[in-house]
């Protein structure tokens, strides 16, 4: 296996995290700009869809490298998508709206995930790459 492969994977995942955060900022801007709920839901749909693809990508990387933290990480992915979907369902039913506290909660849960689970995965991938380099 090419040792730079894990570095490329790690870099790619960081770029995807940046896009997730940018989508949350876009959602936040839609509140400031007083966009309609349907416009906010469109952005939320994009965040949900992208997050699902990103999480599948991470899970493939974890499986490919036999990552020990896979099960716990996957459980957190499922919980994050469920929370995003629950917010969307609540907005669609009219029981809540996308407001600043909801945005803060989304941002916090994503950042907590990145700083815990994803940081562990990144450290694992970096360590793998470094150990492969030492063998060359």
């Amino acid at each position: 296996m090419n040792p730079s492969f894990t570095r490329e994977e790690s870099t790619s995942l960081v770029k995807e995290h940046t896009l997730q955060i940018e989508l949350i900022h876009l959602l936040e801007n839609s509140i400031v700009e007083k966009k309609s709920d349907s416009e906010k839901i469109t952005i939320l749909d994009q965040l949900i869809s992208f997050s699902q693809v990103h999480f599948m990508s991470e899970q493939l990387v974890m499986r490919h490298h036999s990552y020990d933290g896979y099960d716990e990480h996957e459980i957190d992915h499922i919980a994050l998508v469920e929370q995003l979907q629950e917010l969307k369902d609540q907005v669609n039913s009219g029981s809540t709206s996308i407001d600043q506290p909801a945005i803060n909660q989304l941002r916090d849960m994503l950042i907590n995930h990145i700083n815990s689970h994803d940081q562990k995965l990144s450290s694992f991938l970096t360590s793998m790459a470094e150990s492969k380099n030492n063998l060359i």
Side-chain angles (χ1 to χ4, degrees):
M1 177 185 305
N2 181 348
S4 65
F5 187 56
T6 52
R7 280 192 199 98
E8 291 168 7
E9 289 168 330
S10 186
T11 300
S12 175
L13 296 176
V14 168
K15 288 178 182 177
E16 291 175 10
H17 294 149
T18 301
L19 184 53
Q20 284 177 301
I21 297 294
E22 287 175 3
L23 285 167
I24 291 174
H25 285 304
L26 191 60
L27 197 53
E28 186 171 35
N29 288 340
S30 74
I31 293 169
V32 172
E33 297 168 2
K34 300 187 186 320
K35 302 275 185 176
S36 69
D37 278 347
S38 67
E39 291 173 293
K40 293 173 192 172
I41 288 173
T42 298
I43 298 167
L44 185 56
D45 276 336
Q46 291 172 339
L47 177 59
I48 292 169
S49 295
F50 183 78
S51 293
Q52 289 171 323
V53 170
H54 166 70
F55 294 157
M56 284 191 293
S57 174
E58 276 188 359
Q59 288 166 213
L60 286 171
V61 168
M62 288 186 282
R63 283 183 185 157
H64 178 77
H65 295 291
S66 302
Y67 179 60
D68 286 338
Y70 177 85
D71 291 336
E72 182 182 344
H73 202 128
E74 180 188 32
I75 289 168
D76 204 49
H77 284 169
I78 292 167
L80 287 165
V81 171
E82 285 175 353
Q83 288 178 323
L84 289 167
Q85 189 62 50
E86 184 178 325
L87 175 60
K88 179 186 170 188
D89 293 344
Q90 289 173 350
V91 171
N92 279 332
S93 72
S95 65
T96 192
S97 63
I98 299 175
D99 56 11
Q100 193 60 51
I103 297 295
N104 293 342
Q105 182 181 7
L106 289 176
R107 183 183 299 113
D108 289 349
M109 70 179 189
L110 182 60
I111 289 173
N112 287 337
H113 173 79
I114 291 168
N115 288 337
S116 61
H117 295 286
D118 290 341
Q119 184 57 48
K120 289 177 189 173
L121 176 59
S122 179
S123 295
F124 171 80
L125 293 173
T126 300
S127 175
M128 271 189 84
E130 289 170 356
S131 69
K132 297 288 183 186
N133 277 338
N134 289 337
L135 295 176
I136 297 175

